[in-house]
Amino acid sequence: MSDTMQKISTGLERAFAAGGFAEPSVETLRDAAGVSLRTLYKYTPSRGDMVLAALENRHRRYLARVFDDLPEASDAALDAILDRVADWMRTETSHGCLFHAAVAADPASPALRDLLERHKAEVAARANAACGLPPEDLALTLVIEGLTQTWPLASDAALDASRRLARPLITG
């Protein structure tokens, strides 16, 4: 990815996370990307392309932040994953999953649905691998999704509940 595209994607991600997918005007998106309108449209020719670029950026950042350099022990990895998801919610988005919000804003978009499915599948695979769970097991995915979706209502109480629900998954 070029430096310009990275700059655009990062700015678009911030703009959509702050203002949703319908609210930001093209001028707001251009300003957030820090490029001219011509450059914005050169790299992302439509609003749909802008949303996809923003979400691809978010996908990469989320995976790195939650799953890079996890402890090797399953119980420590589980605690780290849940803590990092909570930290993400606390610092990046306190109102739920941006991927789900994008699909809700444009439910007819196959590209958005594919990106949502890919993101969630990669989160599940990495979480299960880190915690020593079978790849097809959905339980930890449900706990992580529950934490993400419940965070806006319960914040740290959602983290505490997630820990209580997830601990038996790795201890048998």
Side-chain angles (χ1 to χ4, degrees), residues 59-69 84 126:
H59 171 70
R60 285 187 302 276
R61 286 191 330 102
Y62 183 88
L63 290 179
R65 184 148 160 202
V66 173
F67 297 108
D68 282 1
D69 302 318
R84 291 173 186 186
R126 290 185 70 175

Side-chain angles (χ1 to χ4, degrees), residues 8-113:
I8 290 169
S9 297
T10 300
L12 291 173
E13 179 194 343
R14 278 194 311 267
F16 288 129
F21 294 98
E23 182 68 26
S25 66
V26 173
E27 292 76 20
T28 299
L29 296 172
R30 176 203 61 212
D31 292 347
V35 296
S36 69
L37 193 56
R38 180 180 180 141
T39 300
L40 179 62
Y41 278 119
K42 175 183 174 187
Y43 285 88
T44 54
S46 69
R47 189 176 192 91
D49 291 324
M50 292 176 199
V51 171
L52 289 170
L55 291 175
E56 285 288 353
N57 190 69
R58 192 168 192 87
H59 171 70
R60 285 187 302 276
R61 286 191 330 102
Y62 183 88
L63 290 179
R65 184 148 160 202
V66 173
F67 297 108
D68 282 1
D69 302 318
L70 286 171
E72 289 191 30
S74 295
D75 59 339
L78 174 65
D79 287 339
I81 290 167
L82 295 176
D83 286 341
R84 291 173 186 186
V85 170
D87 185 59
W88 176 272
M89 297 304 297
R90 190 178 292 114
T91 61
E92 297 286 337
T93 179
S94 61
H95 52 270
C97 176
L98 198 61
F99 294 89
H100 282 292
V103 171
D106 189 2
S109 170
L112 284 176
R113 188 163 299 285

Side-chain angles (χ1 to χ4, degrees), residues 70-160:
L70 286 171
E72 289 191 30
S74 295
D75 59 339
L78 174 65
D79 287 339
I81 290 167
L82 295 176
D83 286 341
R84 291 173 186 186
V85 170
D87 185 59
W88 176 272
M89 297 304 297
R90 190 178 292 114
T91 61
E92 297 286 337
T93 179
S94 61
H95 52 270
C97 176
L98 198 61
F99 294 89
H100 282 292
V103 171
D106 189 2
S109 170
L112 284 176
R113 188 163 299 285
D114 289 348
L115 180 54
L116 168 67
E117 289 175 11
R118 180 169 52 89
H119 174 71
K120 297 302 180 178
E122 288 184 42
V123 168
R126 290 185 70 175
N128 284 356
C131 294
L133 297 171
E136 68 281 357
D137 193 328
L138 289 176
L140 184 52
T141 299
L142 289 172
V143 171
I144 293 169
E145 285 296 303
L147 173 56
T148 302
Q149 296 300 80
T150 307
W151 184 267
L153 303 171
S155 59
D156 287 322
L159 175 60
D160 294 339

